[in-house]
Amino acid sequence: MLEAELLPDDAVRGEHSLVDSIAAGDRSAFEKLYRRYDRRVFQYISSLVHDAATAEELVVDTMLAIWKGASRCEKTSRISTWILGIARHKALDALRRKGRGAHLAPLDDAAELATPEPGPHDHAETRSVGVMTRRAFECLSSEHREVLYLAYFEDTPYEQIASLLAVPQNTVKTRVYYAKQKLREHLERLTSTESVR
Amino acid sequence: MTDTNTSTPDLHPAALLMPWYASGSLPEHERRDVEAHLRTCAACRAELESVGVFRQHTRDLFESQPFPEQRIHDAVIARLNDEISRNNRTSGRRSFVETFLQGLMRPSWAPAIAVALIVVQAGAIAWLSYERSQTTPQITTRGIAPAAARIRIVFNPGATEQDIRSALQTLGGRIVDGPTADGAYIVELPAIAPTELSQRLRALRERPGLIERIENAAP
């Protein structure tokens, strides 16, 4: 997870020199960086847009933006923060274009959202923790999904999440805390609903 | 997002750091503080355990998510190729213009270009000089209108107002001053040719019993 953050300084410098090479038009450098980040960008965008087809398109857009904007990458920022920042920008743009801005609003009362009805395949594996977690995740707001992805999956330090989201560090800490609370509530509600069926 | 839950009065500050304590990404001083707190706080130990469970759920969720690696890769490469070929076309056009201009600036061309410029300049000067010589200068003035004439007229004491009006009509003038101490009126006439003025004065003098004296007045 989050190799760039856990990599030694040499490796971080290596990523910056990769970006420098991309800025000079080096395709093999782009390929290297692409392979490091393609899945992570896809997963991060998925946490925001929650639609696989759109996420695929946005990954392509993000990667092209990296190719075109490599010369503008600031040396002071981490490459991972720069890349995820581009991906975030693309994702939020897509959400706005699709008129799904409501998902960007605070949805701490996400319990009001309709719980997605289980499909025919879901019934067979309804007791699977994975399926329940996925459905509980779908009930969360984009903001809560995003910070859980960054903190729990990417292990991103809170300072960097704050930088990426352009919010104070304390906001990151409380947002992650309450995102987990919401996830637990949805999971408990879904579990109890399924056990009644 | 405006976090409605940014105030956390019932929470230990350490509880908010559990995700990063669990992942080992806390700065050293914070890690030590959290560790010390955990030894004495059962609530935060429970929070840490809860974070561990949901962290694992989240990781399982994202790791199990299908990732269309090849399809995305192909799409990125196709777009990248488009982008590169478009840039090459643009830079190809630019380099043609640059090459042309750079060729002109080569030292071997410089004397020839300088001579050509001198010839062109000399030709332009010669042509302008010829054009000027062909046109006759026309000097025009804005003109100053001839000054209006003023005459002193002493009418015969028996002349009526109607006689005087008639005389002024004959002259085409108007009384601008008078009568003076000797009974003269200053009459201003519009600028007219001297011969015309003489004719009018003569016609006036020929009227019997109208004019006693007539003479030029100072302007």
Side-chain angles (χ1 to χ4, degrees), chain A residues 1 27 31 34-35 43 46 56 61 67-68 106 108 129 143 152 155-156 158 171 175 177-178 180, chain B residues 1-5 11 20 30 47 50 55 57 59 62 65-66 68 71 73 79-81 83:
Chain A
M1 303 302 110
R27 281 189 66 154
E31 187 79 18
Y34 174 84
R35 289 298 182 193
Q43 286 165 334
S46 297
E56 279 185 42
D61 289 348
W67 170 260
K68 290 196 268 191
D108 292 325
V129 174
E143 288 81 0
Y152 284 7
D155 292 341
T156 311
Y158 61 78
T171 301
R175 192 177 291 181
Y177 178 83
Y178 285 107
K180 193 228 16 172
Chain B
M1 174 178 172
T2 51
D3 279 77
T4 53
N5 300 309
L11 279 175
W20 297 281
E30 279 187 316
E47 177 61 19
S50 170
R55 189 164 170 262
H57 286 339
R59 297 168 90 83
F62 280 100
Q65 185 183 24
R71 191 165 61 228
H73 182 261
R79 288 271 301 276
L80 187 64
N81 287 338
E83 179 70 20

Side-chain angles (χ1 to χ4, degrees), chain A residues 25-62:
Chain A
D26 183 344
R27 281 189 66 154
S28 67
F30 175 76
E31 187 79 18
K32 265 188 200 166
L33 197 74
Y34 174 84
R35 289 298 182 193
R36 280 188 198 177
Y37 283 94
D38 60 345
R39 185 183 293 266
R40 290 170 60 187
V41 169
F42 176 76
Q43 286 165 334
Y44 177 49
I45 290 176
S46 297
S47 79
L48 282 162
V49 302
H50 214 70
D51 169 57
T54 307
E56 279 185 42
E57 288 172 21
L58 295 175
V59 173
V60 177
D61 289 348
T62 301

Side-chain angles (χ1 to χ4, degrees), chain B residues 80-95:
Chain B
L80 187 64
N81 287 338
D82 283 351
E83 179 70 20
I84 290 172
S85 62
R86 192 167 41 246
N87 283 347
N88 284 345
R89 279 199 300 274
T90 310
S91 63
R93 280 196 296 275
R94 194 185 309 131
S95 66

Side-chain angles (χ1 to χ4, degrees), chain A residues 10-27:
Chain A
D10 282 352
V12 173
R13 274 197 295 275
E15 288 210 323
H16 273 288
S17 78
L18 269 185
V19 172
D20 287 343
S21 301
I22 294 169
D26 183 344
R27 281 189 66 154

Side-chain angles (χ1 to χ4, degrees), chain B residues 8-50:
Chain B
T8 50
D10 302 332
L11 279 175
H12 292 146
L16 297 176
L17 295 175
M18 290 309 162
W20 297 281
Y21 178 78
S23 65
S25 56
L26 274 184
E28 184 56 26
H29 71 280
E30 279 187 316
R31 190 190 64 75
R32 278 201 303 269
D33 289 349
V34 169
E35 231 160 37
H37 179 77
L38 281 171
R39 278 196 287 274
T40 60
C41 179
C44 284
R45 283 199 298 274
E47 177 61 19
L48 177 60
E49 195 178 334
S50 170

